[in-house]
Amino acid sequence: MKIEVNVEKKYAFLILGALLIIGAVVIGVAYNSGGPPSVVGHSADEIEGVCKSDGTGCPNNEANILFSDDFISGVSEFNWQYGSGNPILTTSGNHPGILDAAATSISANLFIDPTSNFEVELYAQIKSSTTSFLFGLQGEDTFNNIAEFQYSSAVPFRTVTRSSSSSESIVNLGSIAPYVGSWHKFKVAKIDANTIKFYIDGAEVASHTTGIPTQPMRIGFRNVLVDRVGLKMSDLSR
């Protein structure tokens, strides 16, 4: 039996167009099966493995752990500890949460594995060139196993790495005056097993290859206005 179907050219194009439209609708429904996104593609809530500000959606692994604190919600979120005195929370212009670490040492109750690469960044304002300034990582005794910016009446503005009293590296940075009274980003980064680098506003100011800490450390800072502090690394050790 021979069956012939004759379709005029103009109707053939209409049929083809209708099939294409139906196919596009089916694909669109399947792609956004979780509900229509507010933007083209998927929002962060629709994608697995994206860390959101409330801590949900983060990948279930130990790699590339990241935390940051802007102090908008107070000072208890990451269990900050104080050496003396009481930190003050304030605001200034477009900085809604500022921690005034005046005359006190503040450290996070979170120890960092020294064998991991890490980046610790502080967005802060040094209050005065007549008071001491400190930011970086400190061991349990705050003297050995350190990697930090330092300044006081007794020492010039400098970066220091120290694994013990007999293994230390110091780089003098010159005057602290350009960094007083304005906001700057200070960063300490361990980039490999034997190198720790220091940055101010994205520019490298020091590189240390000796005195690299060997014991767990935690973030510490003193006598600064802090807008934000953050940590990015591969492993954490408590």
Side-chain angles (χ1 to χ4, degrees), residues 201-212:
D201 296 330
E204 181 182 324
V205 296
S207 180
H208 295 249
T209 56
T210 58
I212 305 302

Side-chain angles (χ1 to χ4, degrees), residues 100-180:
D100 187 349
T104 185
S105 296
I106 298 179
S107 59
N109 190 25
L110 180 72
F111 282 88
I112 298 170
D113 182 349
T115 64
S116 300
N117 293 342
F118 55 75
E119 293 182 7
V120 180
E121 186 174 83
L122 182 79
Y123 188 42
Q125 181 181 137
I126 299 175
K127 299 183 66 175
S128 171
S129 59
T130 62
T131 59
S132 61
F133 161 65
L134 178 149
F135 163 62
L137 295 164
Q138 307 171 334
E140 186 71 32
D141 64 3
T142 72
F143 180 78
N144 293 317
N145 290 292
I146 64 172
E148 58 191 20
F149 290 91
Q150 294 179 347
Y151 172 78
S152 73
S153 59
V155 300
F157 187 32
R158 65 186 191 176
T159 59
V160 180
T161 54
R162 182 188 304 129
S163 58
S164 68
S165 58
S166 60
S167 181
E168 179 183 71
S169 175
I170 296 174
V171 175
N172 291 324
L173 301 180
S175 174
I176 199 173
Y179 309 107
V180 175

Side-chain angles (χ1 to χ4, degrees), residues 13 50 88 108 118 196 221-222:
F13 283 122
V50 174
I88 302 168
F118 55 75
I196 292 179
F221 48 88
R222 181 174 66 229

Side-chain angles (χ1 to χ4, degrees), residues 49-71:
V50 174
C51 288
K52 294 179 278 294
S53 59
D54 61 359
T56 61
C58 298
N60 186 26
N61 58 60
E62 290 293 317
N64 206 30
I65 295 173
L66 171 68
F67 92 79
S68 63
D69 197 349
D70 56 14
F71 303 105

